[in-house]
Amino acid sequence: MRPFILSETNWKAVKDQKFELAVLPWGATEAHNFHLPYSTDNIMAEKVAAESAQKAWDKGLKVIVLPLIPFGVNTGQLDIKLDINLNPSTQYAILNDIADILSRHGINKFLILNGHGGNDFKQMIRELGSKYPDMFICTCNWYQSFETSDYFENGGGHADEMETSIMQYISPEFVRPLKEAGIGAGKNFRIKGLNEKWAWAERKWSKVTADTGIGDPGKSTPEKGEKCFKEVIRKVGDLMINLCETGINDMYE
Ligand SMILES: [Zn+2]
């Protein structure tokens, strides 16, 4: 039983405990090429949340990790079998209900730990901030806490070398042999500004990739995954520590 994981702890331990920071890991349920499980984003976000919170807890800081939300925004994958879409407006409603409970119980710092590229909580946090002015709400995409090229030869972003290597390290029992994986070839837009990323449109996933992957997983190894994952825990752990240690009225220097 880890006292900083709400789904594992109990009322006896929680009722008189003052918590400084609540962390909500948020993933997605979606196809990840032929070799990774639908819950890839969930498994990784939950593990990053738990191991980072452990670092803060070990320093005596009171962080509590809430149960992960397993469905994300998959509006670009509605035709891919059993990708489960949660609309952004539904996500806002969920966040609003959770923020309400946290504020009732005096937990005024709230970190949404995101593990899925289709989720974007920034605008929701702006709106929630105006509803809960006494709370400090922030979000972090754990997969942006490091430079991909420092650890991996091939990028991509979905069921790619990074995701595959980390899954080979943290959950090898759910990873199929690499020879079963597709090559993760992703098509670009015909429109220059969209490829240069200063213009944006949602990609229709089934038109962009044949195997649902974007990024070649062929050079993945658990050793690469371990190196990268440990850096992620160092970075996200420090983020949680800094959030716990910094007063809500003392955020700027
Ligand atoms: Zn993923």
Side-chain angles (χ1 to χ4, degrees):
M1 187 279 269
R2 291 171 292 181
F4 51 90
I5 305 287
L6 186 59
S7 57
E8 296 179 10
T9 189
N10 51 66
W11 167 237
K12 185 170 187 286
V14 164
K15 65 182 173 54
D16 299 320
Q17 178 68 62
K18 170 104 181 77
F19 291 106
E20 191 67 35
L21 170 70
V23 176
L24 178 67
W26 203 314
T29 299
E30 58 176 350
H32 272 77
N33 202 327
F34 297 119
H35 64 295
L36 292 179
Y38 270 67
S39 233
T40 293
D41 292 359
N42 298 331
I43 292 166
M44 293 193 295
E46 199 158 48
K47 186 96 169 160
V48 170
E51 297 215 357
S52 305
Q54 174 95 57
K55 279 193 70 179
W57 189 267
D58 289 347
K59 287 193 116 198
L61 300 166
K62 299 307 173 197
V63 51
I64 187 80
V65 178
L66 310 182
L68 167 133
I69 311 280
F71 305 127
V73 174
N74 278 89
T75 43
Q77 288 104 333
L78 299 175
D79 55 345
I80 295 180
K81 196 166 191 175
L82 291 179
D83 279 20
I84 309 290
N85 173 52
L86 216 57
N87 281 319
S89 52
T90 314
Q91 292 188 313
Y92 176 77
I94 291 171
L95 282 179
N96 188 42
D97 288 354
I98 294 173
D100 175 55
I101 294 299
L102 296 178
S103 93
R104 283 169 192 272
H105 295 286
I107 303 173
N108 291 326
K109 293 176 190 161
F110 183 22
L111 168 64
I112 304 155
L113 183 67
N114 180 40
H116 168 62
N119 295 338
D120 184 353
F121 299 108
K122 279 194 256 176
Q123 299 298 74
M124 299 175 202
I125 289 172
R126 292 179 195 273
E127 191 164 342
L128 285 170
S130 68
K131 268 188 97 165
Y132 301 96
D134 295 334
M135 287 184 78
F136 185 85
I137 309 176
C138 60
T139 183
C140 133
N141 297 330
W142 69 260
Y143 48 86
Q144 290 177 327
S145 66
F146 58 91
E147 203 61 62
T148 308
S149 58
D150 289 349
Y151 299 89
F152 306 104
E153 290 166 67
N154 296 310
H158 188 70
D160 61 359
E161 187 178 321
M162 182 276 282
E163 286 199 315
T164 303
S165 297
I166 290 182
M167 285 295 284
Q168 285 173 327
Y169 171 56
I170 66 172
S171 271
E173 69 277 22
F174 294 132
V175 183
R176 302 291 308 161
L178 286 178
K179 62 177 180 339
E180 294 181 19
I183 57 169
K187 289 183 185 165
N188 292 324
F189 281 107
R190 289 191 198 281
I191 296 161
K192 192 164 175 264
L194 293 172
N195 290 330
E196 290 176 356
K197 307 267 167 79
W198 52 271
W200 183 87
E202 183 175 73
R203 289 173 290 179
K204 294 296 170 204
W205 219 251
S206 56
K207 293 193 169 20
V208 170
T209 157
D211 52 30
T212 79
I214 294 184
D216 184 356
K219 292 189 168 154
S220 306
T221 69
E223 291 75 25
K224 289 179 185 174
E226 178 177 9
K227 244 175 115 182
C228 178
F229 187 77
K230 286 184 170 160
E231 171 65 4
V232 169
I233 299 309
R234 196 182 67 73
K235 295 286 281 283
V236 180
D238 281 351
L239 174 68
M240 291 186 192
I241 289 166
N242 294 159
L243 284 168
C244 286
E245 287 180 338
T246 308
I248 267 184
N249 298 314
D250 195 26
M251 284 286 168
Y252 309 97
E253 55 184 9

